[in-house]
Amino acid sequence: MTKQDYINYWLSTAREDLETAQSLFDSGKYVWSLFIAHLALEKLFKAFWVRNNESNFPPKTHDLNKIVTGTDLVFSDIEK
């Protein structure tokens, strides 16, 4: 598999998980919706990690902060 294949894998599974999270939310299962949304975000971050690193295998963790550390993503605080 190419690097782009790995990126596409993470993006497509993130998209599927986000659709599942939306379905759960719509049915009132908010805790499960949040859990699956976290997985979707994790997979999206892993796609960025693969893009920004030599390896095609992101860290085996669910810690979003650890995954994002290996990317070029920058987050800013939202002021009220």
Side-chain angles (χ1 to χ4, degrees):
M1 288 178 57
T2 67
K3 181 170 280 298
Q4 190 60 50
D5 290 335
Y6 285 103
I7 293 168
N8 291 342
Y9 164 77
W10 289 114
L11 293 175
S12 67
T13 58
R15 191 173 299 114
E16 290 173 12
D17 287 352
L18 192 56
E19 290 171 5
T20 300
Q22 183 64 55
S23 294
L24 288 165
F25 184 86
D26 293 342
S27 67
K29 295 180 169 62
Y30 304 117
V31 173
W32 279 106
S33 175
L34 182 59
F35 178 75
I36 300 300
H38 176 277
L39 292 178
L41 191 55
E42 176 185 329
K43 291 174 180 181
L44 179 62
F45 288 169
K46 287 183 176 184
F48 278 96
W49 192 97
V50 170
R51 185 193 71 180
N52 294 135
N53 289 273
E54 190 76 24
S55 174
N56 291 329
F57 303 101
K60 292 183 179 183
T61 183
H62 300 291
D63 185 333
L64 300 180
N65 287 323
K66 285 184 181 180
I67 300 166
V68 169
T69 299
T71 73
D72 61 0
L73 295 173
V74 177
F75 298 96
S76 61
D77 291 333
I78 299 174
E79 295 184 27
K80 296 181 181 183

